[in-house]
């Protein structure tokens, strides 16, 4: 499949799916099914992608070469579960990878477990897993692994407000992405930069988001996050009609409910657009439902974002005591966890 140019990151996923169906021997079939899973995931067909990754793992085992193929599919299946909010399922996969002798798979698994710990707001675990991954992957010459490592470092440093470390890691990630020439990592770089720019200055983020939205071959997750980030940035820039148009165009897209991060931006957009009591009530219900799902999934960092959205919504509706209580609680939790960025936002909201 790689020789045919049908790796994950191919901008013609339908062609990849068709070509992979023709492969027959088990090892090649495992590799092809992994590519198929990536192509299906790019299209937002998450359940089919999950089945393809599992079939890739099964084919590799049948070929008696799990170290050669199913490690790749296992890592991808773990990432898919993370994106869909199934953090426990993702962690089980990464823990299994650590029991193997596959250096790259174990290292990648640890990197993704570090990112998973960040999502759960467990900074010590995130740092320890990152440290262990770096030790393992230091023996690898792959720029793909280097880029993944630096992107994980970037977001962890960013959330803990270590701006110098975040900037350094991001520069290193950009260099490694350029050297790797791998589409998937390129998308992750785009998404990482968008997250950081949006969190810092939404209006300024439009200069990054506009060209990013035009990039070819973006995965469904990246498309969804960038779409709703763009709408929220447009609203911050005073372009309400444009933000409403983005929401109207994308509201019925069946892919977006599959990803927690996309749903979070969509619900926060609803809250920011709400101007009437009825709109605020509807937006509150949507955010509260998502907050409880994120709580159940253990996705703590995203839950805090939802709670800040609820606090801002309460403040806009005149419920200042409710807003202050929500923001103060979030600030206390985030501070204890070492999430300085969110803690700072919460304290500012509580002081209004």
């Amino acid at each position: 499949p790689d020789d045919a140019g049908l790796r994950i990151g191919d901008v013609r996923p339908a062609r990849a799916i068709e070509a992979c169906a023709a492969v027959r021997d088990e090892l090649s079939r495992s590799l092809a099914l992994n590519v198929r899973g990536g192509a299906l995931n790019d299209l937002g067909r998450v359940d089919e992608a999950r089945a393809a990754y599992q079939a890739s793992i099964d084919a590799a085992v049948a070929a008696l070469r799990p170290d050669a193929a199913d490690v790749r599919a296992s890592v991808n299946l773990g990432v898919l579960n993370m994106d869909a909010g199934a953090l426990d399922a993702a962690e089980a996969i990464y823990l299994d990878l650590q029991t193997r002798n596959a250096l790259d798979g174990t290292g990648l698994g640890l990197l993704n477990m570090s990112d998973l710990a960040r999502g759960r707001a467990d900074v010590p675990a995130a740092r320890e897993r990152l440290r262990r991954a770096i030790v393992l992957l230091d023996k690898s010459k792959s720029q793909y692994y280097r880029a993944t490592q630096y992107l994980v470092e970037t977001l962890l440093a960013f959330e803990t407000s270590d701006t110098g470390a975040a900037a350094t890691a991001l520069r290193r990630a950009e260099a490694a992405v350029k050297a790797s020439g791998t589409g998937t990592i390129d998308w992750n770089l785009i998404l990482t930069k968008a997250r950081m720019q949006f969190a810092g200055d939404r209006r300024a983020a439009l200069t990054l988001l506009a060209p990013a939205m035009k990039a070819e071959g973006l995965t469904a997750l990246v498309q969804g996050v960038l779409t709703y980030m763009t709408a929220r940035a447009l609203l911050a820039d005073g372009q309400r009609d444009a933000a409403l148009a983005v929401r109207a165009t994308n509201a019925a897209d069946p892919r977006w409910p599959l990803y927690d991060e996309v749903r979070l931006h969509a619900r926060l957009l609803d809250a920011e657009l709400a101007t009437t009591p009825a709109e605020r009530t509807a937006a509150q219900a949507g955010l509260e439902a998502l907050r409880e799902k994120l709580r159940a999934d253990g996705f703590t960092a995203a839950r805090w974002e939802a709670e800040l959205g609820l606090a801002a919504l309460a403040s806009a509706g005149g419920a200042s005591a409710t807003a202050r209580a929500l923001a103060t609680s979030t600030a206390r939790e985030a501070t204890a966890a070492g999430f300085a960025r969110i803690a700072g936002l919460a304290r500012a909201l509580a002081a209004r």
Side-chain angles (χ1 to χ4, degrees):
D2 288 323
D3 291 341
L6 300 177
R7 64 189 177 190
I8 295 176
D10 192 278
V11 297
R12 295 150 296 183
R15 175 171 166 253
I17 293 168
E18 180 182 352
C20 290
V23 179
R24 290 291 177 263
D25 72 271
E26 289 297 332
L27 181 56
S28 295
R29 182 169 174 271
S30 175
L31 295 168
L33 283 165
N34 186 36
V35 174
R36 177 182 173 84
L40 288 165
N41 193 31
D42 291 353
L43 294 171
R45 293 157 61 178
V46 173
D47 289 340
E48 293 174 80
R50 185 178 284 111
Y53 287 141
Q54 186 58 56
S56 172
I57 294 168
D58 295 342
V61 172
L64 303 180
R65 289 288 304 280
D67 59 320
D70 89 313
V71 164
R72 306 181 194 182
S74 294
V75 169
N76 291 333
L77 182 56
V79 172
L80 182 150
N81 284 326
M82 283 177 63
D83 291 343
L87 303 191
D88 288 343
E91 185 168 40
I93 290 169
Y94 297 141
L95 286 171
D96 178 63
L97 282 171
Q98 291 182 66
T99 67
R100 309 183 192 186
N101 294 322
L103 172 66
D104 294 342
T106 303
L108 280 175
L110 281 166
L111 283 178
N112 284 307
M113 283 189 70
S114 174
D115 211 32
L116 188 152
R118 178 183 60 81
R120 285 178 162 157
D122 188 344
V123 173
R127 286 176 172 157
E128 173 59 17
R129 292 165 178 178
L130 178 58
R131 183 194 65 77
R132 289 167 58 198
I134 291 171
V135 170
L136 283 173
L137 295 176
D138 188 55
K139 302 172 185 177
S140 173
K141 297 180 181 179
S142 170
Q143 290 298 322
Y144 173 91
Y145 301 142
R146 282 280 179 269
T148 303
Q149 170 193 322
Y150 294 140
L151 288 172
V152 171
E153 286 182 19
T154 298
L155 285 176
L156 182 57
F158 176 68
E159 290 295 1
T160 55
S161 290
D162 189 345
T163 54
T168 298
L170 185 60
R171 285 195 299 271
R172 290 173 175 170
E174 289 174 326
V177 166
K178 185 176 181 180
S180 74
T182 304
T184 304
I185 288 295
D186 193 32
W187 304 332
N188 286 336
L189 175 62
I190 289 171
L191 187 55
T192 298
K193 292 172 71 173
R195 287 166 173 161
M196 294 172 67
Q197 182 67 66
F198 181 83
D201 186 340
R202 293 186 191 179
R203 295 176 66 183
L206 284 171
T207 59
L208 171 66
L209 290 166
M213 287 292 292
K214 297 176 183 177
E216 290 187 330
L218 296 176
T219 67
L221 168 67
V222 177
Q223 286 179 6
V225 172
L226 293 181
T227 293
Y228 282 101
M229 274 188 181
T230 298
R232 295 178 68 197
L234 286 168
L235 185 61
D237 193 45
Q239 301 183 55
R240 181 179 177 83
D241 288 345
L244 285 166
V246 172
R247 183 176 68 171
T249 301
N250 290 276
D253 195 310
R255 297 173 299 171
W256 304 154
L258 301 172
Y259 305 105
D260 280 350
E261 188 173 1
V262 181
R263 292 178 66 196
L264 177 61
H265 280 286
R267 297 289 76 79
L268 289 171
L269 173 63
D270 289 342
E272 290 159 6
L273 283 168
T275 56
T276 68
E279 288 173 344
R280 282 193 284 269
T281 297
Q284 178 181 338
L287 264 178
E288 286 177 341
L290 180 59
R291 176 186 62 179
E292 295 314 306
K293 180 184 185 303
L294 295 169
R295 189 193 305 276
D297 289 342
F299 204 169
T300 305
R303 172 174 62 82
W304 288 335
E305 296 276 7
E307 287 173 347
L308 290 182
L310 285 167
L313 192 61
S315 179
S320 56
T322 299
R324 193 175 301 112
L326 276 168
T328 300
S329 174
T330 301
R332 183 171 56 251
E333 287 186 30
T335 298
F339 264 57
R341 183 186 70 83
I342 291 179
L345 293 174
R347 285 194 296 270
L349 188 52
R352 287 183 186 176

